[in-house]
């Protein structure tokens, strides 16, 4: 390992790292604008200049590897100075050049208070400029409803360009012109269509790219910052919610290398305007075909009368995609007390059963293990719209080379190359039987994995698909040496938690499809919808429908009684992500009006039924939940499943149909009630569906 002397201190560093990384390892902070740990080296801002003894002039530390340095003639390690007078003058000169054309509009810039250029100008800049020429002006670009541009502020660090081409995999942003005429643009001046485009806001070190929905809304020092978890998909991205008073003002990513690194999807970032529109803020009761406001006592009493009157086998409940483990646990206890086995958390009817073992429904490899994979088989999934950040991780691994990706299902633009194997069951059967060439690819791979999507699992032959996938995993070495390459890609943040808690039909109970059929046929008296809006609720017959949720979506329209609940930013809730990692959301704001936390609503309802639940505060509820399911107490830890469950699953009988796998997500931006209430998501949905109309010089 190379040895260096940095500011008089000798240290030993890893092979292959850059000088700026070596300085950070030594505890020395180096200023930078273009350099970013997760992007390729550009070396064009020159702010990271350091002095290397023996070199005639300062060098860019981001572009020089430690292995390129040579020891002194007397054998002493290379010596680097980061605080010398030469370095100080060099950085002042670089800062002066950067500010030649940068406008002095800090008071009206949304980046004010969190601007790298502002901070570093204070530290490394000078108190006057020697340039009296007019500053250049650059026309602002239209890059969609998410990102506001002020391109006169741009310092051409190219972080945004590198992110879009390297991480997002969408070649829609780049530089045109030369010298003083260089501009960052989308070429065709149309909105960017990547699901990750909002990350360029965080990457921009100046105010050239800022959040359009957040423009002129608040200053960072006005905001209260709450670290929490995203629930827009099953990845469990770590986020920070910034609030002012009762309102969520913006959502930003937090770094977690095991889950989302430091990226979040556009849906995660810009969903916040949907938290304040179309909200349910008081109970409602349907009278004469119309919903009218009611008090909590009146609404709970109406629900309790129906529940007490109905036999247990004529009561059912469906848990939605955004429900936390606490309310699912409480609702299961309530139904059990009422004698009902009819419950389900799988709105899409996916063939996932806790009785087959926890490994049968987890992303067993772990999200971070994608970095080590050398062969991936995608079955009935489009990760780009089902888990955009996970898709970026697959792309990151693909860019390093040595990764083979195969897809069975509907073709899609995944931002990386893949072998299209076939549309559905026939191809899956061939791969499982070893009659397809991609079987040999998986067999030869050292770290193979498969990713099974909900489009393949939610069909009538979903259980058979899972069995054949398990056979592929077993036959190609995915279960060898204690590893487990059998992975389920979930869409719903609540799904793994619901399966862990056993919110599935009990003995003789009905699943989601059977519940809806029974309601339509008049065989069900009461249906409890816990934020369930994604199943077909158009015809529920004369069934008495209770909807507990946050927005006036499909469930509320079908309801006879509405109980307003709290959104994920308004409560402390437990969620288990697709890889089995238990995480907690934290309350960043309070629910609007008379809305209440969901577990508390169910607890209050149980009191009205005469069978109160055994807990009356959140700590007691979690204590009971942890007693029944101890792994949920391990916050932040990933609890893996047993690979033996997959071996057992592979031995089940499998009768596949002929129907090709469909798509699980029709519109990335409108997948849940909060998204459908968001004006920003509506604009992005319209943009995503709009055809490209601008012609290019290469068109025939």
């Amino acid at each position: 390992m190379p040895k260096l002397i940095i500011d008089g201190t000798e240290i030993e560093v890893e092979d292959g790292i850059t000088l700026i990384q070596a300085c950070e390892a030594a505890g020395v902070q180096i200023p930078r604008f273009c350099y970013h740990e997760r992007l390729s080296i550009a070396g064009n801002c020159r702010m990271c200049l350091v002095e290397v003894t023996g070199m005639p002039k300062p060098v860019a530390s981001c572009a020089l590897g430690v292995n390129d340095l040579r020891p002194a003639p007397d054998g002493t390690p290379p010596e680097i100075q980061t605080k010398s007078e030469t370095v100080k003058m060099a950085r002042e000169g670089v800062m002066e050049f950067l500010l030649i054309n940068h406008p002095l509009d800090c008071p009206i810039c949304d980046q004010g208070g969190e601007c790298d250029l502002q901070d570093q100008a204070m530290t490394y800049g000078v108190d006057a400029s020697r340039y009296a020429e007019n500053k250049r002006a650059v026309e602002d670009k239209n890059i969609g409803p998410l990102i506001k541009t002020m391109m006169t502020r741009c310092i051409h660090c190219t972080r945004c360009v590198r992110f879009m081409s390297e991480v997002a995999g969408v070649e829609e942003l780049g530089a045109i012109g030369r010298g003083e005429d260089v501009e960052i643009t989308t070429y065709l001046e149309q909105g960017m269509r990547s699901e990750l485009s909002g990350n360029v806001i965080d990457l921009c070190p100046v105010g050239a790219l800022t959040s359009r929905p957040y423009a002129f809304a608040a200053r960072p020092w006005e905001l209260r910052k709450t670290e929490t978890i995203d629930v827009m998909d099953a990845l469990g991205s770590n986020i920070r919610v910034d609030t002012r008073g009762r309102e969520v003002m913006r959502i930003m990513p937090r770094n977690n290398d095991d889950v989302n690194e430091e990226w979040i999807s556009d849906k995660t970032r810009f969903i916040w305007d949907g938290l304040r529109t179309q909200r349910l803020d008081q109970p409602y009761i349907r009278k004469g075909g119309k919903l009218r406001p009611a008090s909590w006592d009146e609404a709970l009493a109406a629900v309790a009368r129906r529940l007490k009157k109905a036999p247990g086998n004529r009561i059912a409940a469906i848990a939605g995609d955004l429900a936390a483990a606490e309310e699912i646990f409480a609702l299961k206890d309530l139904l059990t007390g009422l004698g009902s086995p009819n419950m389900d958390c799988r709105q899409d009817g996916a063939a996932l059963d806790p009785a087959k073992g926890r490994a049968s429904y987890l992303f067993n490899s772990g999200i971070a293990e994608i970095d080590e994979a050398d062969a991936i088989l995608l079955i009935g999934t489009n990760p780009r719209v089902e888990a955009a950040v996970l898709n970026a991780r697959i792309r990151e691994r693909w860019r390093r080379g040595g990764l083979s990706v195969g897809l069975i299902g509907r073709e899609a633009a995944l931002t990386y190359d893949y072998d299209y194997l076939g549309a559905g069951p026939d191809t899956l059967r061939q791969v499982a039987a070893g009659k397809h060439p991609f079987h040999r690819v998986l067999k030869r791979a050292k770290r193979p994995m498969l990713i099974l999507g909900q489009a393949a699992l939610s069909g009538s032959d979903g259980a058979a698909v899972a069995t054949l996938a398990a056979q592929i995993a077993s036959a190609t070495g995915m279960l060898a040496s204690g590893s487990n390459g059998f992975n389920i890609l979930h869409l719903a943040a609540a799904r793994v938690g619901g399966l862990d808690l056993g919110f599935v039909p009990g003995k003789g109970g009905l699943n989601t499809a059977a519940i809806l059929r029974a309601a339509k046929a008049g065989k069900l008296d009461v249906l409890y919808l816990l934020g369930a809006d994604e199943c077909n609720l158009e015809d529920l017959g004369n069934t008495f429908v209770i909807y507990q949720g946050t927005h006036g979506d499909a469930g509320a329209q079908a309801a006879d009684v509405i109980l307003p609940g709290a959104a994920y930013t308004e409560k402390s809730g437990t969620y288990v992500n697709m890889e089995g990692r238990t995480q907690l959301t934290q309350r960043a704001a309070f629910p609007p009006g008379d809305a209440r936390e969901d577990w508390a609503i169910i607890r209050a309802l149980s009191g009205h039924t005469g069978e109160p639940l055994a807990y009356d505060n959140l700590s007691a509820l979690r204590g009971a939940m942890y007693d029944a399911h101890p792994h949920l107490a391990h916050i932040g830890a990933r609890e893996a499943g047993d690979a033996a469950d997959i071996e057992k699953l592979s031995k089940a009988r499998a009768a596949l149909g002929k129907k090709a796998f469909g798509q699980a997500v029709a519109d990335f931006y409108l997948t849940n009630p909060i998204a459908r209430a968001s004006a920003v998501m509506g604009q992005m949905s319209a943009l995503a569906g709009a055809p490209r109309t601008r012609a290019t010089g290469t068109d025939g």
Side-chain angles (χ1 to χ4, degrees):
M1 295 173 68
K3 291 184 178 180
L4 303 174
I5 298 175
I6 300 176
D7 291 340
T9 302
E10 183 175 322
I11 67 165
E12 194 173 40
V13 298
E14 296 179 29
D15 276 316
I17 66 173
T18 59
L19 198 50
I20 192 172
Q21 292 172 313
C23 290
E24 289 185 343
V28 178
Q29 182 65 34
I30 304 295
R32 81 290 301 270
F33 290 115
C34 68
Y35 174 77
H36 191 276
E37 293 82 354
R38 302 191 194 277
L39 303 177
S40 61
I41 303 297
N44 54 11
C45 80
R46 320 309 285 181
M47 194 64 204
C48 64
L49 294 174
V50 297
E51 187 178 6
V52 179
T53 301
M55 290 191 175
K57 59 183 180 179
V59 297
S61 58
C62 70
L64 184 64
V66 295
N67 297 96
D68 296 327
L69 300 176
R70 295 292 176 264
D74 61 358
T76 58
E79 188 170 352
I80 293 94
Q81 297 291 332
T82 69
K83 299 184 174 87
S84 67
E85 189 63 27
T86 299
V87 172
K88 179 176 181 294
M89 290 180 61
R91 291 175 180 170
E92 287 177 353
V94 169
M95 182 59 68
E96 192 171 10
F97 273 111
L98 287 174
L99 294 176
I100 288 174
N101 286 312
H102 190 83
L104 301 179
D105 58 355
C106 299
I108 62 165
C109 177
D110 271 323
Q111 198 84 347
E114 7 181 60
C115 175
D116 292 348
L117 183 65
Q118 202 174 52
D119 295 341
Q120 293 186 37
M122 289 293 293
T123 306
Y124 304 103
V126 292
D127 60 358
S129 173
R130 292 176 287 176
Y131 291 88
E133 292 82 1
N134 291 330
K135 295 178 181 287
R136 78 166 190 163
V138 180
E139 184 180 355
D140 292 335
K141 307 299 187 294
N142 171 27
I143 57 177
L146 303 182
I147 302 168
K148 179 173 179 268
T149 60
M150 185 67 73
M151 301 314 292
T152 301
R153 299 172 184 158
C154 180
I155 61 171
H156 305 143
C157 70
T158 68
R159 280 186 181 182
C160 55
V161 176
R162 285 175 284 147
F163 173 83
M164 294 302 295
S165 62
E166 296 168 11
V167 179
V170 178
E171 302 281 353
E172 289 188 328
L173 202 62
I176 60 172
R178 300 187 68 181
E180 188 181 0
D181 296 325
V182 168
E183 296 183 19
I184 304 296
T185 180
T186 56
Y187 301 123
L188 301 181
E189 296 187 9
Q190 292 186 353
M192 293 190 294
R193 300 193 183 189
S194 167
E195 296 78 18
L196 299 169
S197 63
N199 290 288
V200 301
I201 296 169
D202 300 329
L203 289 172
C204 184
V206 296
L209 303 175
T210 56
S211 171
R212 188 178 293 277
Y214 175 70
F216 308 121
R219 287 298 194 184
W221 54 84
E222 300 177 306
L223 304 176
R224 186 164 59 90
K225 302 167 178 63
T226 305
E227 295 185 349
T228 184
I229 303 299
D230 172 57
V231 301
M232 292 299 109
D233 55 31
L235 194 71
S237 297
N238 288 217
I239 59 173
R240 192 188 82 197
V241 176
D242 291 356
T243 56
R244 184 175 61 187
R246 299 179 66 94
E247 287 193 11
V248 175
M249 303 303 294
R250 64 177 179 178
I251 295 174
M252 301 178 70
R254 287 190 294 128
N255 187 78
N256 187 327
D257 288 343
D258 291 332
V259 182
N260 60 303
E261 297 179 299
E262 59 189 85
W263 317 125
I264 54 174
S265 73
D266 289 348
K267 185 164 55 176
T268 297
R269 182 184 298 271
F270 295 105
I271 198 75
W272 50 267
D273 70 312
L275 292 167
R276 64 177 70 150
T277 55
Q278 299 183 24
R279 287 299 302 268
L280 301 173
D281 58 0
Q282 62 182 0
Y284 288 88
I285 295 178
R286 191 177 297 276
K287 290 288 181 68
K290 293 184 178 181
L291 290 167
R292 65 168 184 82
S295 67
W296 271 109
D297 283 341
E298 187 180 2
L300 292 176
V303 172
R305 283 195 300 272
R306 291 284 187 156
L307 289 174
K308 288 191 287 186
K309 188 187 303 182
N313 62 353
R314 294 180 67 89
I315 300 172
I318 302 173
D321 293 349
L322 306 183
E326 285 81 0
E327 51 256 33
I328 294 176
F329 181 79
L331 183 57
K332 183 182 178 184
D333 279 358
L334 177 64
L335 291 172
T336 302
L338 294 170
S340 173
N342 307 318
M343 64 187 82
D344 206 347
C345 63
R346 304 160 299 184
Q347 290 191 84
D348 55 7
L352 299 169
D353 188 352
K356 296 178 180 177
R358 196 163 185 257
S360 69
Y361 59 84
L362 287 184
F363 198 97
N364 294 287
S365 297
I367 295 164
E369 292 303 312
I370 291 174
D371 298 343
E372 309 299 326
D374 51 0
I376 299 177
L377 174 61
L378 304 175
I379 305 172
T381 182
N382 178 354
R384 182 173 175 182
V385 295
E386 295 173 20
V389 176
L390 183 139
N391 190 69
R393 198 145 197 164
I394 298 175
R395 174 178 167 78
E396 179 185 350
R397 172 64 190 90
W398 170 80
R399 288 183 66 245
R400 298 205 314 264
L403 175 66
S404 299
V405 182
L407 172 64
I408 301 175
R410 183 171 294 190
E411 290 188 83
L414 296 180
T415 73
Y416 43 83
D417 295 338
Y418 62 87
D419 297 321
Y420 183 65
L421 310 183
D426 288 340
T427 307
L428 183 64
R429 191 182 292 110
Q430 291 175 15
V431 176
K435 298 178 181 179
H436 194 284
F438 203 80
H439 181 93
R440 292 190 292 274
V441 173
L442 295 171
K443 188 88 170 177
R444 288 195 301 265
K446 294 180 180 178
R447 298 296 295 271
M449 66 170 61
L450 65 82
I451 300 177
L452 183 56
Q454 302 302 303
L457 289 168
S458 57
S460 57
D461 56 354
V465 170
T467 295
L468 261 69
Q471 291 174 6
I472 294 172
S474 178
T476 57
M478 294 182 190
L479 309 179
S481 304
S483 64
N484 191 343
F486 180 91
N487 301 305
I488 304 296
L489 198 161
H490 290 278
L491 306 180
R495 185 64 53 82
V496 173
L499 293 171
D500 280 352
L501 293 170
F503 201 86
V504 293
K507 186 177 181 181
L510 306 177
N511 61 18
T512 297
I515 288 171
L516 298 177
R517 286 196 301 270
K520 184 177 181 179
K523 298 179 180 178
L524 208 62
D525 291 339
V526 180
L527 174 58
Y528 201 118
L529 301 175
L530 181 60
D533 297 274
E534 312 309 322
C535 46
N536 184 6
L537 304 175
E538 293 180 358
D539 187 2
L540 299 178
N542 294 321
T543 302
F544 186 80
V545 179
I546 306 148
Y547 178 74
Q548 179 178 330
T550 59
H551 287 72
D553 208 79
Q557 294 175 24
D560 294 291
V561 173
I562 294 176
L563 308 176
Y568 71 104
T569 57
E570 300 160 358
K571 63 187 176 185
S572 176
T574 303
Y575 290 87
V576 186
N577 78 345
M578 66 173 74
E579 61 177 351
R581 188 184 303 274
T582 303
Q583 302 184 107
L584 288 179
T585 61
Q586 298 297 339
R587 175 188 286 163
F590 286 92
D594 288 334
R596 297 291 182 266
E597 291 193 39
D598 294 273
W599 74 266
I601 296 173
I602 297 169
R603 171 61 180 83
L605 175 59
S606 70
H608 279 74
T609 64
E611 298 288 339
L613 299 177
Y615 32 80
D616 53 12
N617 59 59
L618 185 58
S619 296
L621 186 156
R622 284 180 173 161
M625 186 169 72
Y626 296 159
D627 287 343
H629 308 278
H631 69 279
L632 295 180
H634 304 156
I635 307 301
R638 182 170 75 89
E639 298 289 331
D642 187 351
D645 294 335
I646 308 304
E647 291 283 8
K648 185 177 179 181
L649 179 62
S650 69
K651 294 177 172 57
R653 297 182 60 185
L656 278 180
K658 295 287 186 180
K659 188 177 180 181
F661 302 144
Q663 60 181 8
V665 175
D667 190 330
F668 168 76
Y669 298 101
L670 304 177
T671 55
N672 59 62
I674 303 176
R676 289 188 285 271
S678 166
V680 175
M681 291 298 101
Q683 292 172 351
M684 288 305 299
S685 175
L687 177 64
R692 292 289 196 187
T693 57
R694 187 76 60 88
T696 68
T698 59
D699 293 340

